[in-house]
Amino acid sequence: MKAPSYCGRHLATCAAVALLLLLPAAAAAQHPAPPARHPAATADTAGALPGRPLKTLREGTRQYLVSVLKPDQPASFNSSAVWIRRVQLDRARGEVRITQTWLGGDTLRNRQVFSICRLADFAPLYHRTQMRKTGIEAFTFTSTAVVGADSVAGNGKRGFSQALPGPTLNWELDLETFEQLNYAPGKKFYLRFYHPGSKTPPKGYLYYVTGEEDLPVAGNQRLRCWQLRVDYDAKNYAVFWIAAKTREVLKMEEHYNSYVRYKVKLATPAVELAPGRQLFQPAR
């Protein structure tokens, strides 16, 4: 199923604007070499965010242009989408509720995501996704496991179970997680992430601050950013540019095997999504 031609033109325009504003030198960017491996015990945050109140995560909507490229095939492979992420703090229930909508050229892969975390420490409680291609997948987090939610009708992951070795964060909420870290030169954060429903078990990664950079943004301005890097293995890595003032992720550049993925925060919203047009109404 193909998206309407307007959607394709709209995404292409957003891509061109965002790349001009924030990625002028992406192809030639040089990132610091990874430091020697550090055990989790030396990191400033270990495993998850236990006992850390959400003082810096802000309510509201962010939109990102997400592009996946193959540098060795620039003319034949280029996948782009707009991600709309809305954060709500429900203080009465003690919860953080985050809704994501992914819109791209392939409508079979358009995606709605709804997640609930505990307000006190951002521990994941619930996660639900829906795509036309894969249907509904819903999960409940406990202190020891991630399990398929039996109460959700049509859940394709009913009966699923993945043990957790300790405090674990939802990897689909990494951008919101990074808003809550306290950055300083040389700081390191050991974070254990899990992508709900994945066959890959939970794993801890060392994220470390490599320096600061003034990132070019809209209006011929520059914003001071922290650079946060993670090495997935000896070959693959990602670098995040995080605004020093707001702690929002403004840009990500990820190298994984033969692909390069960019996430760029849009200064101007690209898509206005009415609640009635959501793929599903987020409910537990």
Side-chain angles (χ1 to χ4, degrees), residues 25 55 118 150 177-178 190 247 264 281:
K55 295 181 179 179
R118 195 161 55 214
D150 293 335
T177 299
F178 298 150
Y190 181 79
R247 304 191 194 183
V264 180
Q281 295 298 320

Side-chain angles (χ1 to χ4, degrees), residues 18 30 46 63 68 106 116 135 139 154 170 194 226 230 244 257 269 272:
Q30 298 294 321
Q63 295 194 14
V68 181
D106 182 356
I116 300 176
F139 308 89
N170 185 343
Y194 175 63
W226 296 105
V230 59
N257 296 330
E272 294 295 336

Side-chain angles (χ1 to χ4, degrees), residues 7 28 30 39 50 52 56 70 82 97-98 109 124 130 175 193 200-201 211 219 226 233-234 250 267:
C7 180
Q30 298 294 321
R52 182 187 296 278
T56 55
K70 289 196 74 172
V82 171
R97 294 180 164 227
I98 300 175
R109 296 182 180 275
Q130 183 171 345
L175 301 184
F193 280 111
T200 303
W226 296 105
D233 51 40
L250 299 184

Side-chain angles (χ1 to χ4, degrees), residues 122-184:
F122 209 57
L125 302 174
Y126 178 79
H127 187 77
R128 170 176 169 159
T129 69
Q130 183 171 345
M131 296 173 59
R132 290 188 176 92
K133 186 178 180 65
T134 59
I136 296 171
E137 298 182 352
F139 308 89
T140 299
F141 285 72
T142 72
S143 60
T144 59
V146 178
V147 297
D150 293 335
S151 61
V152 177
N155 183 12
K157 289 294 185 178
R158 185 173 292 163
F160 176 87
S161 182
Q162 170 63 58
L164 298 178
T168 302
L169 295 161
N170 185 343
W171 211 346
E172 294 228 56
L173 305 179
D174 59 338
L175 301 184
E176 290 76 20
T177 299
F178 298 150
E179 286 190 36
Q180 303 170 57
L181 302 179
N182 293 319
Y183 297 97

